[in-house]
Amino acid sequence: MIPVSLLRHAPTTPTAHGTRGRWTALGAGASAAVLLTGCMSGGGGADVAAADFQDPVAGEVAEGSLEGTQMTFVSWGGGYQDGQEQAFVTPFAEASGATVMTDGPTDDAKLQAQVDSGNVQWDMIVSSAIQSAAYCDELYEPLDLSLIDTSQIPEGMPTGECFLPAMSYGAGFFYDADRYGDDPPTGWEDFFDTEAFPGTRGIEGTSSPTGGTFEAALLADGVAPEDLYPLDTDRALEVYASLGEENTAFWTSGAEQTQMIQGGEVDMIFGWSGRVYEANKAGANWKPVWNQAFLASDSLSVSKGSQNSVAAHALINYALGAEQQATQMELTTYSPVNVGAEPEIDAALEEFDVSRPEITEQMLTQDVEYWGENFGELSTIWYEFVSK
């Protein structure tokens, strides 16, 4: 088992627009005391029959089908979670009749304590795909796909036994167009070439690296995508070391990525597309390199031991609807995972929309299953490197 202590307990994923503990209720007609009791005990939805939710259609839930159910939705907090609540949690509660409590941020240590105690308070959780894969059948239960319509999920999106994608984004490298605009970098080899492209590189400094961190260096060193696994971590670290301390700056959160770009601290960054877009909104002029960037996603999962498992599956199915996914992008900037979604976005955000086929076809999909199986070891290796 991978120690929970090695995983990200603070919301440092790309979707963490902010952090805040929260208990709110979405649903009408119940007192706060009843809502909290329902949340703590699993609520009245424990006896909902799976047979009543067969043949699902993504984005739909039968009117009043979850009357009397009290359940809990958990995500990363901040503006990201606010957008999710508006896009699919609130309308799901209104349509199904469920009372949906919301909490956050996602924290596997807290979930571990709930599972160990047998008092699981959380039901449907937005986590990272790697964490959901790493803790499949320990903290997250295998999904019953007879209750979820997955037919509209784009091909190539990260999926697993215990999770489906919540949205999509790019984990790759981005550059200052004002500096390199006349002769821009085009691939990972350029990111690590400080002679042809002088300047400071921003790379991850956390103890739990983004999927693709080792792969990027190996691709730069000539390894073909089909030959990446098992990862040669020693070789990858040699490539990172070749940057030199004078050309390396470490970020430890998504917010710090944006700050580095806005503050002119780095000239290229291996980071998350949503954070670079945020910097551009604030006045930066940075461009993405989609060539062999990594298609990544947050995950939609159900807590192991949830007393509202069927209702949690129904909420996941609803969240995957075209309208819900389009609204989520409009509110959070992260790309939809429904082929029919048509978000109304401006040209600046469209450049960062990794659901566009012309972008997706250039990218590699995060191997979340490999990362999940080896996350403890990979995290230790990376932490030892950055701590030096």
Side-chain angles (χ1 to χ4, degrees):
M1 186 178 83
I2 302 168
V4 174
S5 60
L6 286 176
L7 292 174
R8 276 186 249 250
H9 303 317
T12 56
T13 72
T15 54
H17 287 233
T19 65
R20 56 192 173 102
R22 50 195 284 160
W23 274 112
T24 58
L26 301 172
S31 70
V34 171
L35 294 177
L36 186 57
T37 301
C39 167
M40 297 294 285
S41 67
D47 296 326
V48 172
D52 295 335
F53 292 84
Q54 299 289 329
D55 302 318
V57 176
E60 297 184 7
V61 64
E63 192 76 22
S65 57
L66 292 171
E67 287 286 352
T69 296
Q70 292 99 40
M71 59 185 294
T72 307
F73 167 79
V74 180
S75 188
W76 295 108
Y80 176 60
Q81 183 162 341
D82 291 340
Q84 290 179 317
E85 290 174 14
Q86 186 173 335
F88 57 82
V89 180
T90 299
F92 172 83
E94 292 173 347
S96 68
T99 297
V100 185
M101 302 289 294
T102 69
D103 195 13
T106 301
D107 185 328
D108 279 328
K110 290 183 178 179
L111 181 56
Q112 179 80 66
Q114 293 178 32
V115 173
D116 289 347
S117 70
N119 182 22
V120 178
Q121 303 169 26
W122 293 350
D123 297 306
M124 196 276 238
I125 300 180
V126 176
S127 185
S128 80
I130 289 174
Q131 286 173 238
S132 293
Y135 282 96
C136 185
D137 212 23
E138 293 181 27
L139 301 184
Y140 302 96
E141 71 175 43
L143 294 176
D144 181 352
L145 296 185
S146 72
L147 303 178
I148 303 172
D149 176 10
T150 61
S151 65
Q152 302 304 300
I153 297 175
E155 185 177 354
M157 284 302 308
T159 61
E161 183 181 7
C162 290
F163 72 92
L164 292 170
M167 50 64 162
S168 59
Y169 65 95
F173 88 89
F174 307 81
Y175 65 90
D176 184 347
D178 291 336
R179 175 160 190 175
Y180 303 113
D182 294 335
D183 183 24
T186 59
W188 285 112
E189 185 176 356
D190 296 335
F191 182 83
F192 290 96
D193 187 348
T194 56
E195 291 187 9
F197 297 92
T200 303
R201 275 35 170 194
I203 62 176
E204 186 160 3
T206 73
S207 61
S208 47
T210 299
T213 297
F214 294 102
E215 291 93 326
L218 294 173
L219 290 167
D221 206 36
V223 178
E226 61 271 20
D227 297 328
L228 286 170
Y229 306 97
L231 292 172
D232 186 339
T233 55
D234 289 339
R235 182 175 175 181
L237 294 183
E238 287 179 5
V239 176
Y240 276 104
S242 71
L243 287 172
E245 290 186 23
E246 69 278 9
N247 297 314
T248 303
F250 291 103
W251 51 260
T252 58
S253 69
E256 195 169 1
Q257 293 178 39
T258 305
Q259 292 163 7
M260 280 185 166
I261 293 171
Q262 290 177 279
E265 299 174 49
V266 294
D267 303 288
M268 296 187 197
I269 195 166
F270 181 8
W272 306 323
S273 56
R275 291 304 188 172
V276 181
Y277 172 73
E278 287 180 10
N280 280 353
K281 280 185 65 178
N285 181 25
W286 279 55
K287 298 292 184 182
V289 177
W290 297 124
N291 176 26
Q292 294 187 328
F294 298 94
L295 184 63
S297 73
D298 270 4
S299 59
L300 301 174
S301 295
V302 178
S303 302
K304 183 74 173 178
S306 165
Q307 296 185 54
N308 294 296
S309 177
V310 174
H313 279 74
L315 180 51
I316 290 176
N317 181 70
Y318 191 85
L320 290 171
E323 181 180 350
Q324 290 85 344
Q325 284 291 311
T327 301
Q328 180 179 236
M329 182 175 193
E330 292 165 4
L331 295 173
T332 69
T333 77
Y334 291 97
S335 299
V337 289
N338 184 303
V339 294
E342 297 180 351
E344 296 182 3
I345 56 177
D346 60 25
L349 180 53
E350 188 175 15
E351 186 177 14
F352 288 83
D353 181 4
V354 298
S355 70
R356 295 164 57 202
E358 60 268 34
I359 293 178
T360 306
E361 65 188 12
Q362 301 179 58
M363 304 178 75
L364 305 175
T365 302
Q366 274 187 334
D367 192 332
V368 295
E369 295 297 337
Y370 179 90
W371 274 81
E373 291 171 4
N374 298 280
F375 195 64
E377 179 183 0
L378 294 174
S379 295
T380 298
I381 291 169
W382 185 250
Y383 178 72
E384 290 177 350
F385 172 73
V386 300
S387 64
K388 294 177 182 178

